[in-house]
Amino acid sequence: MKQLIEDIRNHKFMNVYLLCGEEAYLKKQYRQKLLAALLDEENSINLNRYEGKGISVPALIDQAETLPFFAEYRVILIENSEFFKSSPAELAAYLEQIPPTTVIVFVEDEADKRGKLYKAVKKYGRIVEFTTQNEDTLIRWILGELKREDKKITRNTMTLFLEKTGTDMLHIQSELEKLLCYTMGREVITSEDVEEICTTHTEGKIFKMLDAMAEKRQRDALDMYYDLVLLKEPPMRILYLITRQLNLLMQVKELRGQGYDVNTIASRCGIAPFIVRNYQKQERHFSQERLRELVERAITLEEAVKTGRMNDRMAVELLLVMGSREEKKTTG
């Protein structure tokens, strides 16, 4: 990201960029900054946009060969093309000979680093990967947004806010806007404000579902699941998220048992420290054997759904019922 900022600041650009990664907010922000630096605001005649699958590579190359009209650059913006999965050889080869007056900007969620196109962009251009930001970075960003609005927030309220929103910056921005409108006329944002107005993201709801499982509140776990289904959340995605959280619980439990601190566990698991602290409270309700059993059961249920031997909705129900039962005590 630093190199991209330098390119924009110095007005010295590569002929091809790939902006990729899971952090959609930052990806969108830097796409706009790059386009604004390359083109005058009213110079859309030199901007060609392509989006989605099925883009013609020969047509794209023809457009890239066109000289800009009374401007320094012709910019080709290509979004969500999945070129970095299919890796068309013709496009990869073309990147070596892009005219100096053309800049191609790819914006993708995923990119296969083994593909020819990815390697070509790396060789002839610049790749910027936008990953999930750590807790400290998110807090600094949120505090900056609040300071501009003359708002204050305590550390505990900030933690509650992040627990509800997760680490996706687009979702955080949306929930922050709601919170600022709700607290208009007041200086301090309270935990009550966050509870009242902020929507818990799906992964947060899954966490609460696992809380209910851990505390053997089977009815509550099932009710939360049915609520997610009513909100059109696919059962297979719910099963995936439950499995993912069970895996993380297992890792956190193992690392805590080895004596690692919260920050080290967070780094090794690739999650924020505040999430680790919550997982530490939750994993104490499960033995390592029980967590492994639940993960294995989840994998078996997923396979049963994919092979048509079980309904997807029933598969999640069975996992929740199993996870909510009391563990059998082993005797030595």
mmCIF file of all heavy atoms in Angstrom, residues 61-84:
data_model
loop_
_atom_site.group_PDB
_atom_site.id
_atom_site.type_symbol
_atom_site.label_atom_id
_atom_site.label_comp_id
_atom_site.label_asym_id
_atom_site.label_seq_id
_atom_site.Cartn_x
_atom_site.Cartn_y
_atom_site.Cartn_z
ATOM 1 N N ILE A 61 -7.621 -5.587 -25.292
ATOM 2 C CA ILE A 61 -6.298 -5.214 -25.806
ATOM 3 C C ILE A 61 -6.412 -4.103 -26.853
ATOM 4 O O ILE A 61 -5.620 -3.152 -26.875
ATOM 5 C CB ILE A 61 -5.571 -6.451 -26.372
ATOM 6 C CG1 ILE A 61 -5.213 -7.416 -25.220
ATOM 7 C CG2 ILE A 61 -4.326 -6.052 -27.153
ATOM 8 C CD1 ILE A 61 -4.639 -8.746 -25.672
ATOM 9 N N ASP A 62 -7.422 -4.203 -27.726
ATOM 10 C CA ASP A 62 -7.647 -3.148 -28.725
ATOM 11 C C ASP A 62 -7.878 -1.801 -28.048
ATOM 12 O O ASP A 62 -7.359 -0.766 -28.489
ATOM 13 C CB ASP A 62 -8.857 -3.493 -29.604
ATOM 14 C CG ASP A 62 -8.538 -4.565 -30.640
ATOM 15 O OD1 ASP A 62 -7.332 -4.827 -30.876
ATOM 16 O OD2 ASP A 62 -9.487 -5.144 -31.206
ATOM 17 N N GLN A 63 -8.671 -1.818 -26.968
ATOM 18 C CA GLN A 63 -8.954 -0.580 -26.243
ATOM 19 C C GLN A 63 -7.693 -0.032 -25.594
ATOM 20 O O GLN A 63 -7.457 1.176 -25.570
ATOM 21 C CB GLN A 63 -10.023 -0.854 -25.171
ATOM 22 C CG GLN A 63 -10.622 0.397 -24.554
ATOM 23 C CD GLN A 63 -11.451 1.188 -25.554
ATOM 24 O OE1 GLN A 63 -12.483 0.721 -26.004
ATOM 25 N NE2 GLN A 63 -10.991 2.378 -25.905
ATOM 26 N N ALA A 64 -6.869 -0.930 -25.052
ATOM 27 C CA ALA A 64 -5.629 -0.517 -24.393
ATOM 28 C C ALA A 64 -4.640 0.100 -25.376
ATOM 29 O O ALA A 64 -3.790 0.904 -24.992
ATOM 30 C CB ALA A 64 -4.987 -1.713 -23.686
ATOM 31 N N GLU A 65 -4.759 -0.255 -26.652
ATOM 32 C CA GLU A 65 -3.867 0.271 -27.678
ATOM 33 C C GLU A 65 -4.288 1.667 -28.158
ATOM 34 O O GLU A 65 -3.548 2.340 -28.873
ATOM 35 C CB GLU A 65 -3.829 -0.680 -28.879
ATOM 36 C CG GLU A 65 -3.072 -1.977 -28.619
ATOM 37 C CD GLU A 65 -1.579 -1.749 -28.471
ATOM 38 O OE1 GLU A 65 -0.970 -1.110 -29.348
ATOM 39 O OE2 GLU A 65 -1.010 -2.197 -27.445
ATOM 40 N N THR A 66 -5.488 2.103 -27.774
ATOM 41 C CA THR A 66 -6.001 3.406 -28.202
ATOM 42 C C THR A 66 -5.330 4.532 -27.430
ATOM 43 O O THR A 66 -5.235 4.491 -26.201
ATOM 44 C CB THR A 66 -7.528 3.481 -27.967
ATOM 45 O OG1 THR A 66 -8.162 2.369 -28.600
ATOM 46 C CG2 THR A 66 -8.095 4.775 -28.519
ATOM 47 N N LEU A 67 -4.879 5.538 -28.140
ATOM 48 C CA LEU A 67 -4.228 6.681 -27.500
ATOM 49 C C LEU A 67 -5.237 7.507 -26.707
ATOM 50 O O LEU A 67 -6.409 7.599 -27.088
ATOM 51 C CB LEU A 67 -3.568 7.570 -28.565
ATOM 52 C CG LEU A 67 -2.297 7.027 -29.229
ATOM 53 C CD1 LEU A 67 -1.929 7.890 -30.420
ATOM 54 C CD2 LEU A 67 -1.162 6.975 -28.223
ATOM 55 N N PRO A 68 -4.804 8.103 -25.597
ATOM 56 C CA PRO A 68 -5.699 8.967 -24.835
ATOM 57 C C PRO A 68 -6.041 10.233 -25.628
ATOM 58 O O PRO A 68 -5.260 10.677 -26.469
ATOM 59 C CB PRO A 68 -4.898 9.300 -23.576
ATOM 60 C CG PRO A 68 -3.474 9.112 -23.968
ATOM 61 C CD PRO A 68 -3.470 8.018 -24.997
ATOM 62 N N PHE A 69 -7.209 10.799 -25.347
ATOM 63 C CA PHE A 69 -7.680 11.990 -26.047
ATOM 64 C C PHE A 69 -7.371 13.229 -25.210
ATOM 65 O O PHE A 69 -7.995 13.485 -24.185
ATOM 66 C CB PHE A 69 -9.191 11.867 -26.298
ATOM 67 C CG PHE A 69 -9.765 12.981 -27.124
ATOM 68 C CD1 PHE A 69 -9.528 13.050 -28.481
ATOM 69 C CD2 PHE A 69 -10.556 13.967 -26.526
ATOM 70 C CE1 PHE A 69 -10.065 14.084 -29.252
ATOM 71 C CE2 PHE A 69 -11.081 15.000 -27.284
ATOM 72 C CZ PHE A 69 -10.837 15.056 -28.646
ATOM 73 N N PHE A 70 -6.345 14.001 -25.651
ATOM 74 C CA PHE A 70 -5.917 15.218 -24.952
ATOM 75 C C PHE A 70 -5.688 14.978 -23.452
ATOM 76 O O PHE A 70 -6.157 15.737 -22.606
ATOM 77 C CB PHE A 70 -6.936 16.355 -25.140
ATOM 78 C CG PHE A 70 -6.968 16.876 -26.539
ATOM 79 C CD1 PHE A 70 -8.094 16.688 -27.343
ATOM 80 C CD2 PHE A 70 -5.877 17.543 -27.074
ATOM 81 C CE1 PHE A 70 -8.124 17.158 -28.640
ATOM 82 C CE2 PHE A 70 -5.898 18.030 -28.378
ATOM 83 C CZ PHE A 70 -7.028 17.840 -29.166
ATOM 84 N N ALA A 71 -5.006 13.908 -23.138
ATOM 85 C CA ALA A 71 -4.703 13.579 -21.738
ATOM 86 C C ALA A 71 -3.438 12.741 -21.701
ATOM 87 O O ALA A 71 -2.952 12.244 -22.731
ATOM 88 C CB ALA A 71 -5.860 12.823 -21.094
ATOM 89 N N GLU A 72 -2.908 12.586 -20.502
ATOM 90 C CA GLU A 72 -1.658 11.835 -20.342
ATOM 91 C C GLU A 72 -1.874 10.333 -20.440
ATOM 92 O O GLU A 72 -1.036 9.601 -20.969
ATOM 93 C CB GLU A 72 -1.034 12.204 -18.985
ATOM 94 C CG GLU A 72 0.400 11.753 -18.819
ATOM 95 C CD GLU A 72 1.034 12.273 -17.530
ATOM 96 O OE1 GLU A 72 0.378 13.050 -16.797
ATOM 97 O OE2 GLU A 72 2.193 11.892 -17.264
ATOM 98 N N TYR A 73 -3.018 9.869 -19.913
ATOM 99 C CA TYR A 73 -3.248 8.425 -19.843
ATOM 100 C C TYR A 73 -4.635 8.027 -20.342
ATOM 101 O O TYR A 73 -5.605 8.772 -20.167
ATOM 102 C CB TYR A 73 -3.115 7.928 -18.392
ATOM 103 C CG TYR A 73 -1.752 8.113 -17.784
ATOM 104 C CD1 TYR A 73 -1.538 9.095 -16.808
ATOM 105 C CD2 TYR A 73 -0.674 7.325 -18.190
ATOM 106 C CE1 TYR A 73 -0.283 9.272 -16.243
ATOM 107 C CE2 TYR A 73 0.584 7.499 -17.626
ATOM 108 C CZ TYR A 73 0.771 8.477 -16.648
ATOM 109 O OH TYR A 73 2.012 8.661 -16.098
ATOM 110 N N ARG A 74 -4.691 6.823 -20.915
ATOM 111 C CA ARG A 74 -5.962 6.115 -21.074
ATOM 112 C C ARG A 74 -5.983 5.063 -19.973
ATOM 113 O O ARG A 74 -5.022 4.311 -19.797
ATOM 114 C CB ARG A 74 -6.060 5.433 -22.446
ATOM 115 C CG ARG A 74 -7.297 4.505 -22.561
ATOM 116 C CD ARG A 74 -7.610 4.157 -23.990
ATOM 117 N NE ARG A 74 -7.923 5.349 -24.765
ATOM 118 C CZ ARG A 74 -9.103 5.972 -24.739
ATOM 119 N NH1 ARG A 74 -10.085 5.525 -23.978
ATOM 120 N NH2 ARG A 74 -9.295 7.044 -25.489
ATOM 121 N N VAL A 75 -7.077 5.009 -19.215
ATOM 122 C CA VAL A 75 -7.170 4.102 -18.078
ATOM 123 C C VAL A 75 -8.213 3.024 -18.370
ATOM 124 O O VAL A 75 -9.356 3.324 -18.741
ATOM 125 C CB VAL A 75 -7.548 4.863 -16.780
ATOM 126 C CG1 VAL A 75 -7.656 3.887 -15.607
ATOM 127 C CG2 VAL A 75 -6.514 5.947 -16.484
ATOM 128 N N ILE A 76 -7.817 1.776 -18.193
ATOM 129 C CA ILE A 76 -8.715 0.628 -18.364
ATOM 130 C C ILE A 76 -8.974 0.053 -16.966
ATOM 131 O O ILE A 76 -8.058 -0.475 -16.336
ATOM 132 C CB ILE A 76 -8.095 -0.465 -19.262
ATOM 133 C CG1 ILE A 76 -7.488 0.128 -20.531
ATOM 134 C CG2 ILE A 76 -9.116 -1.550 -19.562
ATOM 135 C CD1 ILE A 76 -8.461 0.657 -21.521
ATOM 136 N N LEU A 77 -10.211 0.162 -16.482
ATOM 137 C CA LEU A 77 -10.586 -0.363 -15.166
ATOM 138 C C LEU A 77 -11.339 -1.680 -15.351
ATOM 139 O O LEU A 77 -12.379 -1.712 -16.024
ATOM 140 C CB LEU A 77 -11.462 0.649 -14.422
ATOM 141 C CG LEU A 77 -12.019 0.208 -13.067
ATOM 142 C CD1 LEU A 77 -10.895 -0.041 -12.062
ATOM 143 C CD2 LEU A 77 -13.001 1.248 -12.513
ATOM 144 N N ILE A 78 -10.809 -2.744 -14.771
ATOM 145 C CA ILE A 78 -11.405 -4.087 -14.902
ATOM 146 C C ILE A 78 -11.706 -4.618 -13.510
ATOM 147 O O ILE A 78 -10.792 -4.805 -12.698
ATOM 148 C CB ILE A 78 -10.431 -5.041 -15.628
ATOM 149 C CG1 ILE A 78 -10.000 -4.441 -16.970
ATOM 150 C CG2 ILE A 78 -11.074 -6.409 -15.828
ATOM 151 C CD1 ILE A 78 -8.794 -5.116 -17.586
ATOM 152 N N GLU A 79 -12.993 -4.860 -13.215
ATOM 153 C CA GLU A 79 -13.398 -5.273 -11.873
ATOM 154 C C GLU A 79 -14.118 -6.624 -11.897
ATOM 155 O O GLU A 79 -14.952 -6.893 -12.765
ATOM 156 C CB GLU A 79 -14.306 -4.220 -11.244
ATOM 157 C CG GLU A 79 -13.630 -2.860 -11.089
ATOM 158 C CD GLU A 79 -14.497 -1.867 -10.340
ATOM 159 O OE1 GLU A 79 -15.286 -1.164 -10.995
ATOM 160 O OE2 GLU A 79 -14.384 -1.794 -9.098
ATOM 161 N N ASN A 80 -13.779 -7.450 -10.906
ATOM 162 C CA ASN A 80 -14.458 -8.740 -10.693
ATOM 163 C C ASN A 80 -14.526 -9.585 -11.962
ATOM 164 O O ASN A 80 -15.535 -10.222 -12.257
ATOM 165 C CB ASN A 80 -15.875 -8.509 -10.139
ATOM 166 C CG ASN A 80 -15.874 -7.655 -8.881
ATOM 167 O OD1 ASN A 80 -15.086 -7.885 -7.974
ATOM 168 N ND2 ASN A 80 -16.745 -6.662 -8.828
ATOM 169 N N SER A 81 -13.432 -9.609 -12.683
ATOM 170 C CA SER A 81 -13.390 -10.318 -13.970
ATOM 171 C C SER A 81 -13.115 -11.810 -13.821
ATOM 172 O O SER A 81 -13.379 -12.588 -14.738
ATOM 173 C CB SER A 81 -12.300 -9.707 -14.850
ATOM 174 O OG SER A 81 -11.019 -9.938 -14.258
ATOM 175 N N GLU A 82 -12.520 -12.180 -12.680
ATOM 176 C CA GLU A 82 -12.045 -13.552 -12.437
ATOM 177 C C GLU A 82 -10.923 -13.946 -13.400
ATOM 178 O O GLU A 82 -10.630 -15.129 -13.575
ATOM 179 C CB GLU A 82 -13.197 -14.560 -12.471
ATOM 180 C CG GLU A 82 -14.230 -14.312 -11.373
ATOM 181 C CD GLU A 82 -15.159 -15.489 -11.129
ATOM 182 O OE1 GLU A 82 -14.976 -16.549 -11.762
ATOM 183 O OE2 GLU A 82 -16.077 -15.336 -10.299
ATOM 184 N N PHE A 83 -10.293 -12.944 -14.044
ATOM 185 C CA PHE A 83 -9.133 -13.233 -14.897
ATOM 186 C C PHE A 83 -8.003 -13.877 -14.101
ATOM 187 O O PHE A 83 -7.196 -14.623 -14.657
ATOM 188 C CB PHE A 83 -8.608 -11.938 -15.530
ATOM 189 C CG PHE A 83 -9.357 -11.484 -16.758
ATOM 190 C CD1 PHE A 83 -9.427 -10.138 -17.085
ATOM 191 C CD2 PHE A 83 -9.977 -12.399 -17.594
ATOM 192 C CE1 PHE A 83 -10.098 -9.709 -18.221
ATOM 193 C CE2 PHE A 83 -10.659 -11.985 -18.730
ATOM 194 C CZ PHE A 83 -10.716 -10.639 -19.045
ATOM 195 N N PHE A 84 -7.955 -13.570 -12.792
ATOM 196 C CA PHE A 84 -6.847 -14.083 -11.982
ATOM 197 C C PHE A 84 -7.141 -15.491 -11.447
ATOM 198 O O PHE A 84 -6.381 -16.022 -10.651
ATOM 199 C CB PHE A 84 -6.501 -13.101 -10.868
ATOM 200 C CG PHE A 84 -5.844 -11.861 -11.403
ATOM 201 C CD1 PHE A 84 -6.609 -10.808 -11.882
ATOM 202 C CD2 PHE A 84 -4.467 -11.774 -11.490
ATOM 203 C CE1 PHE A 84 -6.011 -9.672 -12.422
ATOM 204 C CE2 PHE A 84 -3.855 -10.655 -12.027
ATOM 205 C CZ PHE A 84 -4.633 -9.601 -12.498
#
